[in-house]
Amino acid sequence: MIRPDFGEAEPIASAGRVNNIKPGIHFFPNPASDYIYLDISYWGKITSSEPFLLEIFNTLGEKILISHFAIHDSLIDISFLPDGIYFLKTAAESGGFSTVEKLLIAR
């Protein structure tokens, strides 16, 4: 019998860091319906007083939402947005980093 060789398995996590996760702010659930929760617990350089900027864009590039939040504000209300595909941009206001992720809203 011939068995395919897929190479060595890569660990998902190791002591001290998580593999395959980009630094920044992650959110869940995705797809979402009324709220998204922000997860920033693994980002080691963030201080509890650092302010963040959240922007949501539609697929035409129009800015739908602008919000400033602190590290402890992890729940964002998106119930006013219609179903569809959006882009969520988060950035440290100090300019340290920014991320853009796709967000699907489906009810």
Side-chain angles (χ1 to χ4, degrees):
M1 170 187 259
I2 299 175
R3 296 183 184 197
D5 180 13
F6 295 109
E8 293 185 36
E10 293 185 27
I12 294 174
S14 62
R17 75 179 184 95
V18 178
N19 295 329
N20 300 324
I21 295 180
K22 296 183 289 187
I25 299 173
H26 296 272
F27 63 94
F28 61 92
N30 193 11
S33 57
D34 294 324
Y35 295 93
I36 55 174
Y37 301 90
L38 301 176
D39 177 18
I40 53 178
S41 60
Y42 70 91
W43 182 262
K45 296 179 182 178
I46 294 175
T47 65
S48 61
S49 62
E50 185 166 0
F52 294 92
L53 176 66
L54 169 78
E55 297 173 304
I56 296 180
F57 298 88
N58 64 16
T59 55
L60 299 175
E62 300 168 328
K63 200 176 294 186
I64 305 299
L65 173 73
I66 301 173
S67 179
H68 299 269
F69 64 98
I71 196 168
H72 60 275
D73 298 329
S74 63
L75 181 66
I76 305 296
D77 180 9
I78 56 168
S79 62
F80 65 95
L81 295 173
D83 291 7
I85 297 173
Y86 297 88
F87 295 95
L88 187 138
K89 179 180 179 182
T90 53
E93 291 190 5
S94 63
F97 72 90
S98 68
T99 62
V100 177
E101 301 286 339
K102 186 166 52 170
L103 168 65
L104 175 62
I105 297 178
R107 295 180 182 88

